[in-house]
Amino acid sequence: MRKPPISIFSQLCRHRPKSFATLLSRNYFCDPSSSPAPLVSPTHLKPCAKTHGLLFKPNQFRTNPFRNMDTLVGNPSQLSSRQKKLKEKSELEEAFESAKTAEEMLKAFKDMESAFDERDLGLASLKLGLKLDQEGEDPEKVLSFAIRALETFDRDDKPSSLLLAMTLQLMGSVNYNLKRFADSLGYLNRANRILGRLENEGLSGEDFRPVLHAVQLELANVKTAMGRREEALGHLRKCLEIKEVTLEKDCRELGKANRDLAEAYVAVLDFKEALPYCTKALEIHKKHLGQNSVEVAYDRRLLGVIYTGLEEHEKALEQNELSRKVLKNWGHDSDLLRAEIDAANMQIALGKYETAINTLKGVVQLTDKDSESRALVFISMAKALCNQEKFSDSKRSLEIALGILDKKETATPVEVSEAYSEIAMQYETMNEFETAISLLKRSLALLEKLPQEQHSEGSVSARIGWLLLLTGKVAQAIPFLEGAAERLKESFGQKHFGVGYIYNNLGAAYLELDRPQAAAQMFAVAKDIMDVSLGPHHADSIEACQNLSRAYGSMGSYALAIEFQQQVNDAWENHGSSAEDELREGRRLLEQLKKNAHGASSKDLPIKALPLPYTDVSSRSSQPGIPASQKQSSTS
């Protein structure tokens, strides 16, 4: 789902060009007529606001040779045949330029087709395609004009022209709307290459930056839709950089751009990176709009989610409370309802279970009987009750939520799949693993139909694999774990901490199936990833190293086993007194390995499969099955 498109024709309507041979306006970025987009759920990376950046201004390209009719003989009866054709073309072009609606432009374009060669209609085709796309017309109709424009500009002698890049951007946008993501990516990558060459050739930044911004934004959309969220982040960062050098310092548009990037980082659970962008957005919006603006409330709500992800729950609750006050004053009931649920989840994280239950009892009165929000309230209620070990009451709340969600699968599959995953976590906490696995499989079935949710699909698959491994169904676990690793690598990159957890569990599974060499390979990959993403002294990184030592020990490769066990002990020593028990066990294992190396009988050394803990970062979990609190190179 995309945010509301920024109007690309608002200035075009205010300033009618003298010729339809036109280009861009620097005013593309900040359109005063566009209203701020509503806050999207900060636990998702949403495709960015659709915009082409193709506002037109006159006399930028070739001027129409037929425009200057003042040199013609004044008496129409004395006009030659050639002059009559020139005048007719000029009038047709004038009619196209003065058209204000898509219908008027289509009519004028149809009249032009009989008088102009196809080559001369390229720019008009581009302009009409943009207008139709901006107004949400049938993508196939838009595509027909985009193709005509592309055929024209592809035949030109300048294969790196700005007009060609603009047309390729439109082709990318239309193919995105048609869900032809591979085709869209091809056109946008070509546009990006052309813009890179134009920049190297010294084209003025004022001329190409708006188009470059539009291309980067659309690339982020497409890669998000393809599940390649880590790559999408790079394009969003580029968008912000372009705006920072193009717009006035700390203008409102920069505030929104910083918040969008913060949301994108939250979607990949990188809360540490999200924090400075969200803080910057808050500063800008407070400066321009004051403490009590809706934009500031949205920033604070997102900041609460980020602090929750960083496990700074008091700060999270403080930001949430400030946000709720403003949302209540402005009457934003829907956003307020979700913020109230967020608050309850933060209270649960702080161990304030009765407070959370009282909050939720008040919220449930504000929800419709069969609404998705009501289901979320009961899920949070169940969580609070579960933490109080009131399991029967917790199950009743979950059953109510499931009764609502069953009816919502078709309408909101992403939201329902997330809710199923959250409910599965509750059953997992109550040791009802079969029920948890069943719900996760229902979640996975919904996600498999949505290519843009590849990251969630991988996360849920990882969770299923771990639960199957936990319950002794090792052979069944491996396909889920292998599939999860591939999907998450594509979505988040090779070194994402979640991928490390999956490889660790694959190692445990292979060792259980008496495949020690495969197990050692998996543990080595897991250790490498966790050392980079979490830091070598993080508890789970140490555990991955411990598992690697055990795997080599089971193979009889004691020299390697001893080497890695020594690394484990050194890491635990850095934790000081808080890790005395772990260090004591590590030293025992090291002595055992040394004895085994000298021929003593070997005992089975258990391999630890690392769980993938849930952390509820908001009323909805964006990454079920992947630890949401990404600990940044922890040494504690």
Side-chain angles (χ1 to χ4, degrees):
M1 181 176 10
R2 311 174 100 180
K3 296 178 186 176
I6 298 173
S7 171
I8 63 171
F9 283 92
S10 58
Q11 292 199 359
L12 178 62
C13 295
R14 292 196 292 270
H15 306 290
R16 302 307 305 172
K18 295 296 183 182
S19 168
F20 68 84
T22 51
L23 189 60
L24 308 108
S25 165
R26 71 176 67 187
N27 296 318
Y28 148 69
F29 289 119
C30 288
D31 179 7
S33 68
S34 64
S35 59
L39 178 72
V40 297
S41 171
T43 58
H44 288 290
L45 174 59
K46 297 289 185 183
C48 308
K50 174 186 170 186
T51 176
H52 303 296
L54 303 179
L55 294 175
F56 296 86
K57 63 183 180 182
N59 304 322
Q60 193 70 39
F61 292 113
R62 66 183 189 277
T63 57
N64 193 313
F66 318 128
R67 170 68 65 202
N68 189 1
M69 302 301 296
D70 295 338
T71 59
L72 299 178
V73 178
N75 188 344
S77 63
Q78 299 178 4
L79 295 178
S80 67
S81 174
R82 180 175 176 275
Q83 289 170 330
K84 288 179 180 179
K85 287 183 178 180
L86 292 176
K87 183 179 180 181
E88 179 187 0
K89 286 185 174 183
S90 178
E91 290 172 348
L92 289 170
E93 184 187 348
E94 187 67 46
F96 180 82
E97 291 175 0
S98 61
K100 296 181 179 180
T101 67
E103 290 76 16
E104 290 174 351
M105 290 179 71
L106 280 166
K107 183 179 182 303
F109 185 87
K110 187 174 182 179
D111 293 337
M112 290 172 64
E113 287 181 304
S114 61
F116 287 85
D117 293 336
E118 187 65 27
R119 187 182 182 91
D120 293 328
L121 291 172
L123 200 53
S125 298
L126 173 58
K127 185 174 178 181
L128 183 52
L130 290 169
K131 179 67 173 177
L132 294 171
D133 192 39
Q134 188 265 336
E135 293 193 355
E137 287 286 342
D138 177 14
E140 291 289 357
K141 181 188 289 187
V142 179
L143 184 62
S144 67
F145 289 103
I147 290 172
R148 292 175 72 169
L150 183 60
E151 289 173 348
T152 295
F153 300 129
D154 249 350
R155 288 198 299 261
D156 284 350
D157 295 332
K158 295 182 178 180
S160 296
S161 75
L162 192 55
L163 276 177
L164 178 56
M166 294 160 65
T167 306
L168 289 166
Q169 192 271 333
L170 178 60
M171 289 288 292
S173 173
V174 177
N175 278 279
Y176 172 89
N177 290 337
L178 291 168
K179 301 189 183 302
R180 300 169 185 169
F181 301 132
D183 290 342
S184 177
L185 189 59
Y187 289 118
L188 293 168
N189 281 335
R190 186 182 171 198
N192 204 28
R193 289 193 297 270
I194 289 173
L195 292 169
R197 288 196 292 268
L198 290 173
E199 184 176 14
N200 292 335
E201 293 168 4
L203 182 66
S204 169
E206 177 185 339
D207 290 331
F208 77 87
R209 279 186 191 137
V211 185
L212 178 60
H213 180 276
V215 169
Q216 294 295 321
L217 209 51
E218 206 69 58
L219 280 167
N221 283 336
V222 173
K223 290 186 178 180
T224 296
M226 298 174 77
R228 294 159 60 175
R229 291 176 175 244
E230 190 71 23
E231 294 178 48
L233 267 174
H235 296 296
L236 290 176
R237 286 194 298 268
K238 181 68 173 178
C239 286
L240 181 59
E241 290 169 7
I242 295 170
K243 288 190 173 187
E244 285 176 334
V245 299
T246 306
L247 302 176
E248 293 182 8
K249 183 180 179 180
D250 292 346
C251 80
R252 284 178 56 183
E253 181 69 12
L254 279 178
K256 185 177 181 302
N258 274 276
R259 187 172 69 211
D260 287 344
L261 188 51
E263 289 179 354
Y265 276 112
V266 167
V268 298
L269 305 181
D270 194 341
F271 303 106
K272 186 176 180 181
E273 286 293 329
L275 182 59
Y277 292 109
C278 190
T279 302
K280 181 66 173 178
L282 179 61
E283 291 172 356
I284 292 173
H285 286 140
K286 282 197 299 185
K287 176 181 176 181
H288 287 278
L289 303 171
Q291 290 276 8
N292 296 318
S293 74
V294 173
E295 292 300 325
V296 168
Y298 290 158
D299 293 337
R300 290 195 185 281
R301 183 183 170 196
L302 178 60
L303 196 54
V305 171
I306 292 169
Y307 280 130
T308 299
L310 293 171
E311 298 186 358
E312 298 183 35
H313 301 297
E314 292 286 0
K315 288 183 179 180
L317 194 56
E318 177 186 357
Q319 292 298 325
N320 178 273
E321 287 173 354
L322 291 170
S323 175
R324 280 185 286 142
K325 287 179 182 178
V326 177
L327 292 172
K328 185 175 182 179
N329 290 339
W330 283 94
H332 284 234
D333 295 338
S334 177
D335 291 324
L336 178 60
L337 188 66
R338 294 303 175 93
E340 294 278 4
I341 299 171
D342 289 348
N345 287 324
M346 293 169 187
Q347 291 160 353
I348 293 169
L350 289 166
K352 300 177 180 179
Y353 306 127
E354 287 299 331
T355 303
I357 289 171
N358 290 332
T359 298
L360 293 165
K361 285 180 178 178
V363 174
V364 77
Q365 304 300 321
L366 305 175
T367 61
D368 296 331
K369 183 179 179 181
D370 293 322
S371 70
E372 186 182 309
S373 295
R374 192 177 186 88
L376 295 176
V377 170
F378 278 105
I379 292 171
S380 294
M381 184 79 75
K383 188 191 308 181
L385 294 166
C386 185
N387 276 282
Q388 294 178 316
E389 298 188 357
K390 297 177 180 179
F391 297 138
S392 60
D393 292 339
S394 178
K395 289 177 186 178
R396 278 196 293 271
S397 292
L398 294 177
E399 288 167 4
I400 293 171
L402 283 169
I404 296 171
L405 294 168
D406 285 342
K407 306 169 187 175
K408 304 288 184 181
E409 287 189 0
T410 303
T412 55
V414 174
E415 291 78 4
V416 171
S417 71
E418 290 170 348
Y420 284 162
S421 296
E422 178 66 20
I423 294 172
M425 184 270 288
Q426 309 282 345
Y427 280 108
E428 182 184 319
T429 302
M430 294 182 280
N431 293 327
E432 297 200 11
F433 300 120
E434 291 301 327
T435 303
I437 291 170
S438 175
L439 283 164
L440 288 170
K441 287 181 176 179
R442 289 178 67 180
S443 175
L444 188 62
L446 293 172
L447 294 169
E448 286 174 339
K449 302 173 185 177
L450 305 168
Q452 69 271 25
E453 295 300 320
Q454 176 176 274
H455 65 296
S456 295
E457 182 185 345
S459 300
V460 173
S461 184
R463 195 75 186 183
I464 294 171
W466 180 74
L467 287 173
L468 289 170
L469 189 59
L470 186 68
T471 53
K473 299 174 182 177
V474 181
Q476 294 179 39
I478 288 177
F480 285 101
L481 293 170
E482 289 177 337
E486 291 307 310
R487 285 167 177 78
L488 291 182
K489 281 192 293 185
E490 291 178 14
S491 297
F492 298 138
Q494 301 276 348
K495 299 298 183 181
H496 191 269
F497 65 95
V499 179
Y501 282 88
I502 295 169
Y503 276 112
N504 181 84
N505 291 347
L506 274 170
Y510 287 137
L511 203 63
E512 185 73 18
L513 294 175
D514 197 24
R515 297 170 59 184
Q517 290 184 331
Q521 290 175 349
M522 295 298 102
F523 289 135
V525 174
K527 178 183 180 300
D528 180 56
I529 294 171
M530 290 181 172
D531 283 352
V532 172
S533 60
L534 301 176
H537 296 151
H538 187 280
D540 290 339
S541 300
I542 299 172
E543 193 60 52
C545 187
Q546 180 74 83
N547 285 343
L548 184 57
S549 172
R550 287 165 172 158
Y552 279 119
S554 69
M555 294 166 59
S557 300
Y558 294 116
L560 286 171
I562 290 169
E563 177 185 340
F564 285 112
Q565 187 61 51
Q566 188 60 59
Q567 289 183 30
V568 168
N569 293 353
D570 292 343
W572 283 130
E573 283 182 354
N574 282 330
H575 283 249
S577 59
S578 64
E580 288 180 355
D581 292 342
E582 290 85 352
L583 182 57
R584 189 180 302 111
E585 175 65 10
R587 287 170 175 167
R588 186 191 70 77
L589 291 173
L590 182 60
E591 290 304 314
Q592 181 66 52
L593 286 169
K594 289 178 179 179
K595 290 179 182 178
N596 293 344
H598 289 88
S601 61
S602 175
K603 296 181 180 180
D604 290 335
L605 299 173
I607 295 295
K608 184 175 180 181
L610 296 175
L612 303 172
Y614 290 85
T615 296
D616 192 35
V617 298
S618 75
S619 59
R620 299 178 179 186
S621 172
S622 66
Q623 301 291 333
I626 290 296
S629 53
Q630 180 180 0
K631 300 182 177 60
Q632 310 291 337
S633 302
S634 172
T635 57
S636 59

